[in-house]
Amino acid sequence: MSFSIVAGLRYRSLDTAIHRLDPRVKLLISASFLINALLFNEYFGGMGTVASIIVASQLSLLSIAKSHRSLLMAMRGAIPLIAIVYVLNSLGGWAEGIPLEEQLYRATASSARFLAFITSFSLFFLTTSPDEFGLLLFKLRVPYTYAFVFVAAVRLAPTLADEVQDIIDAQRSRGRELEGRNPIRILRGVVSIFTPLLINSLRRAYEMAEALEVKCFGASQKRTSYRELRMRRTDYAVMLVTIASEALVLYLRALGILSGLP
Amino acid sequence: MRIAEGEVVAIMGENGAGKTTLLKHLNGLLKPSKGRVKVDSVDTREATVATLARKVGLVFQNPDSMFFCTSVMEEVMYGLYMFGYSEEEARERCREVLERFDLWSLRDKSPFILSGGEKKRLTIAIVMAWSPKYLVIDEPTSGQDREGKQRLLQTIETIMGEGRSIILSTHDVEFVADLEPRVVLMSQGQVVAEGEAREILTDRALLEKASLLVPQIPSLFLELNRRCGVGLEHRLLRVEEAVCVLRGRFFRGSGVGCDELLDSRRPQI
């Protein structure tokens, strides 16, 4: 069993043009992907087309960032969820009594949209370090304590994934059957992971709180920062291109140019 | 590499040598991408971990990674229920194993609040509860104080006496010197040497390949030979045995009980 969705969205420290972009610009690009995935919600209003373009754009940008394999891994991990969306949509269409071709089209478009939705922030997460994320939140005037909570949560996600793997390994080593093809048995096995994971997470949170206190967290109201975020010319240029592209998409939608498209 | 029934094998090497990776192949947690791992002629790629775990009990390096229940007793009972033991038999085995490892008084406590030594003993007790044919222990001495190590040594020696196969990974040369198992030396994912502890652990050049040091007593004998030219045989000995050898060599008389002590070790030396 793997947790490739989480593992696939894990930040990797690389030195590429995308990694060097200001996190505010990357946040804007990812937000633009998310808005478009949410906005195009009509089956014959470009839903499938836009969703496919979003996924393709992310793959292209992430190939520049040398991280496209991570996104593909996350997408592979999302296959069971996408399959559920596909089946539910097919059943919905069948209940409504629409023709089979349209049922299949609706299920495909919804699945593509779901994929675009869950991967929309992959560019941001794969290329932004937790520290940059913290600085970004601080710049967005989020109080430091809350910003730190977010950063700690993001930073702990891979640790949590490792912890899940440890629990799975420990249970399998003591006879818990988590392999094979019996979905009920596998589901029961997965449920049994949650209680120990919760206990371990609480324990880890307590240890982290102690470590923070040892490092004088909150000792001073006016804290300084080791690094400051500064926008460069390239950042401004990419930001302008993103805003212009989003404006164009919104304009096209307002004009109804994409209506009738799959 | 083959491990026979009833054999005790220590897999040694520096950090990152591949010891844990090798151990995880033994119960199928990892499957080989090249070559084969067979447990009693069953290919690990063709069996589930749960099936293999019945025969191969794996004790993790970090005890906390093994705990997921709310009490010591539940931790021990978990595997027994998974392997289909009845309530009565599971309780009986649980009590037996907890008493044996001196943990019965802690049965209702959370495993997470135990001391380092107690946690380590519990991890072995968890696995010993269903009496696996092969006991695999990853880094038994990590995080253990002197007393904890001594207790672990006694525990492992008792299990050795039962004729069970024990495979342990460690870079603690002193611990292995006391156990005297067959040693498999690893470095950078490769087996660099295999042989009896008395041969491997006294070969300084070989140990250096795996970033390990010669245990203290053979090291003392080697230094005495180098500096004083006394020609002592640098073999694996315990402190009291080394004292006897040195008394016999330098003070013309082996001391009380020394002959018996050294005689008892002679077949192994």
Side-chain angles (χ1 to χ4, degrees):
Chain A
M1 184 181 295
S2 71
F3 287 80
S4 41
I5 299 185
V6 183
L9 296 177
R10 192 181 290 189
Y11 167 73
R12 276 172 63 217
S13 177
L14 293 169
D15 187 24
T16 69
I18 303 279
H19 282 81
R20 282 193 295 272
L21 276 179
D22 190 281
R24 284 166 286 190
V25 178
K26 286 186 270 191
L27 182 69
L28 187 72
I29 299 171
S30 290
S32 150
F33 285 140
L34 182 67
I35 289 167
N36 293 336
L38 290 171
L39 208 61
F40 290 85
N41 57 355
E42 291 152 20
Y43 290 117
F44 290 98
M47 186 202 270
T49 312
V50 171
S52 308
I53 291 171
I54 291 171
V55 176
S57 311
Q58 297 222 68
L59 277 171
S60 317
L61 288 170
L62 283 170
S63 66
I64 299 171
K66 296 177 185 165
S67 305
H68 56 290
R69 281 175 199 278
S70 302
L71 179 59
L72 289 172
M73 198 164 106
M75 281 159 68
R76 201 177 60 191
I79 287 173
L81 294 173
I82 294 165
I84 293 171
V85 171
Y86 193 92
V87 170
L88 288 178
N89 272 280
S90 305
L91 288 174
W94 177 71
E96 283 175 37
I98 56 174
L100 180 67
E101 294 85 10
E102 199 180 324
Q103 274 178 41
L104 294 178
Y105 160 67
R106 282 186 179 199
T108 312
S110 302
S111 305
R113 185 177 177 230
F114 179 69
L115 183 64
F117 176 70
I118 59 169
T119 60
S120 56
F121 268 74
S122 58
L123 176 84
F124 180 77
F125 284 120
L126 282 169
T127 60
T128 309
S129 72
D131 291 333
E132 283 179 327
F133 187 38
L135 289 171
L136 168 71
L137 291 171
F138 206 50
K139 277 278 176 201
L140 296 173
R141 302 200 179 279
V142 174
Y144 180 70
T145 312
Y146 297 107
F148 182 82
V149 169
F150 274 111
V151 174
V154 171
R155 200 176 283 169
L156 278 179
T159 316
L160 210 64
D162 290 342
E163 192 122 7
V164 169
Q165 197 58 56
D166 278 344
I167 295 168
I168 290 171
D169 284 351
Q171 295 199 354
R172 287 162 82 202
S173 298
R174 277 193 255 168
R176 164 78 68 175
E177 194 64 84
L178 291 169
E179 292 159 274
R181 290 167 189 272
N182 186 337
I184 294 168
R185 187 186 270 186
I186 291 170
L187 198 66
R188 276 176 57 193
V190 169
V191 169
S192 70
I193 293 162
F194 290 124
T195 314
L197 183 64
L198 183 70
I199 295 168
N200 285 3
S201 304
L202 288 173
R203 203 167 44 83
R204 192 174 288 281
Y206 188 76
E207 283 170 3
M208 193 171 174
E210 282 183 339
L212 282 169
E213 280 178 321
V214 167
K215 292 183 196 169
C216 310
F217 183 85
S220 163
Q221 286 300 312
K222 198 179 174 187
R223 68 182 297 281
T224 52
S225 185
Y226 173 64
R227 253 189 75 194
E228 292 283 341
L229 289 181
R230 283 200 180 83
M231 294 276 279
R232 296 167 303 137
R233 276 187 193 169
T234 327
D235 296 315
Y236 283 114
V238 176
M239 191 170 81
L240 279 175
V241 171
T242 311
I243 293 170
S245 312
E246 186 57 34
L248 181 69
V249 172
L250 293 175
Y251 185 61
L252 290 175
R253 183 177 154 78
L255 289 180
I257 286 176
L258 294 173
S259 62
L261 269 177
Chain B
M1 186 176 133
R2 292 176 76 89
I3 295 167
E5 275 184 38
E7 196 177 16
V8 182
V9 179
I11 295 160
M12 303 192 73
E14 76 274 16
N15 288 338
K19 305 185 294 286
T20 303
T21 305
L22 176 62
L23 294 194
K24 284 190 171 181
H25 276 85
L26 299 181
N27 78 342
L29 278 175
L30 294 176
K31 310 280 184 191
S33 51
K34 270 189 200 168
R36 278 181 188 182
V37 178
K38 284 186 173 183
V39 178
D40 287 351
S41 47
V42 174
D43 193 323
T44 56
R45 285 177 303 185
E46 284 154 19
T48 64
V49 179
T51 321
L52 290 164
R54 186 74 185 81
K55 276 187 182 172
V56 184
L58 175 64
V59 177
F60 288 23
Q61 177 180 353
N62 177 10
D64 286 353
S65 305
M66 260 183 102
F67 303 148
F68 50 82
C69 298
T70 47
S71 74
V72 166
M73 199 159 172
E74 279 176 50
E75 286 289 353
V76 178
M77 299 283 271
Y78 184 91
L80 296 171
Y81 285 141
M82 284 298 128
F83 290 122
Y85 284 86
S86 68
E87 170 90 28
E88 199 182 333
E89 201 180 350
R91 284 193 179 278
E92 184 60 36
R93 274 179 173 261
C94 178
R95 188 188 175 101
E96 196 182 301
V97 82
L98 286 179
E99 279 177 348
R100 180 176 171 190
F101 287 90
D102 202 13
L103 293 164
W104 179 246
S105 58
L106 304 169
R107 63 189 178 280
D108 295 323
K109 293 220 178 331
S110 164
F112 294 107
I113 61 160
L114 303 183
S115 72
E118 287 164 348
K119 279 182 180 178
K120 204 73 190 183
R121 290 209 309 280
L122 176 58
T123 55
I124 300 176
I126 285 169
V127 171
M128 285 301 289
W130 69 83
S131 300
K133 193 171 169 186
Y134 304 96
L135 178 64
V136 181
I137 314 176
D138 194 3
E139 296 286 359
T141 56
S142 70
Q144 297 295 299
D145 57 17
R146 195 177 163 79
E147 196 195 326
K149 273 188 192 180
Q150 205 55 42
R151 209 161 173 171
L152 259 173
L153 188 68
Q154 285 164 2
T155 307
I156 293 173
E157 278 174 340
T158 315
I159 300 168
M160 277 162 73
E162 294 168 3
R164 209 180 297 277
S165 301
I166 303 175
I167 301 117
L168 44 97
S169 85
T170 182
H171 49 237
D172 189 334
V173 285
E174 300 296 340
F175 188 74
V176 176
D178 283 342
L179 274 177
E180 288 198 55
R182 177 158 75 90
V183 173
V184 174
L185 205 60
M186 288 187 75
S187 181
Q188 296 175 351
Q190 303 285 325
V191 173
V192 290
E194 260 187 271
E196 293 305 317
R198 62 177 179 273
E199 294 160 7
I200 305 275
L201 294 188
T202 51
D203 190 333
R204 185 171 274 171
L206 202 57
L207 289 174
E208 274 173 6
K209 272 191 198 172
S211 309
L212 296 174
L213 294 171
V214 177
Q216 296 226 354
I217 290 174
S219 187
L220 170 74
F221 281 30
L222 280 168
E223 279 306 297
L224 280 171
N225 287 345
R226 193 173 68 83
R227 294 186 190 196
C228 315
V230 288
L232 286 166
E233 195 184 345
H234 51 278
R235 54 203 195 190
L236 279 188
L237 294 174
R238 292 184 182 166
V239 174
E240 59 273 29
E241 294 157 355
V243 168
C244 287
V245 169
L246 293 172
R247 282 183 72 160
R249 180 76 172 77
F250 297 110
F251 300 102
R252 298 183 187 281
S254 55
V256 181
C258 278
D259 289 336
E260 293 80 3
L261 188 63
L262 290 173
D263 278 345
S264 69
R265 298 271 289 172
R266 213 163 296 281
Q268 296 174 25
I269 292 168

